[in-house]
Amino acid sequence: QVQVVESGGGLVQPGGSLRLSCAASGSRFSFYTMAWYRQAPGQQRELVARIINSGGTNYADSVKGRFTISRDNTKNTVYLQMNSLQPEDTAVYYCNARVPINPTFEGYWGQGTQVTVSS
């Protein structure tokens, strides 16, 4: 069982910045694919950004150029730096750890952290 814990959400004004953190347990964190998802009220959960074990990343079109995902394998932590935040970024942000368990994968979710962008 992998524990996933997010932190760093809050209230920010439009144009502001926040950094989310996600810590995942386990001795093989460097092999995990880590991702951030978000879910706004009445909406489906959507992928925001993903980072694989080699450091390769991909982003939703809506956040490209504004959000940056990164990882620190020494701390078992992935980050989401969010700049130029807009009201439409308001959502609960969830961290997901995709853990290789031979011969397949298991996905683990955190409890979510609220991000509210409002003046």
Side-chain angles (χ1 to χ4, degrees):
Q1 188 78 6
V2 173
Q3 306 299 318
V4 178
V5 180
E6 305 100 333
S7 61
L11 173 65
V12 63
Q13 292 187 341
S17 298
L18 277 177
R19 189 176 81 156
L20 305 182
S21 299
C22 170
S25 63
S27 61
R28 302 177 71 242
F29 177 82
S30 62
F31 294 95
Y32 301 175
T33 293
M34 301 297 296
W36 286 98
Y37 289 75
R38 67 186 180 187
Q39 188 168 18
Q43 303 293 320
Q44 288 191 331
R45 192 172 297 191
E46 63 174 358
L47 176 68
V48 176
R50 177 187 290 121
I51 185 166
I52 63 176
N53 58 352
S54 65
T57 59
N58 64 286
Y59 296 90
D61 287 344
S62 59
V63 307
K64 281 180 182 177
R66 300 189 299 124
F67 290 12
T68 302
I69 189 170
S70 61
R71 66 191 299 159
D72 185 340
N73 290 337
T74 67
K75 298 181 179 179
N76 278 31
T77 300
V78 65
Y79 304 97
L80 185 68
Q81 178 66 44
M82 304 186 294
N83 298 328
S84 301
L85 283 160
Q86 300 300 319
E88 52 266 33
D89 295 314
T90 295
V92 178
Y93 283 70
Y94 296 92
C95 182
N96 177 269
R98 190 165 183 256
V99 179
I101 299 177
N102 198 30
T104 182
F105 296 86
E106 287 285 342
Y108 298 90
W109 292 95
Q111 79 287 350
T113 186
Q114 177 71 47
V115 172
T116 302
V117 185
S118 175
S119 55

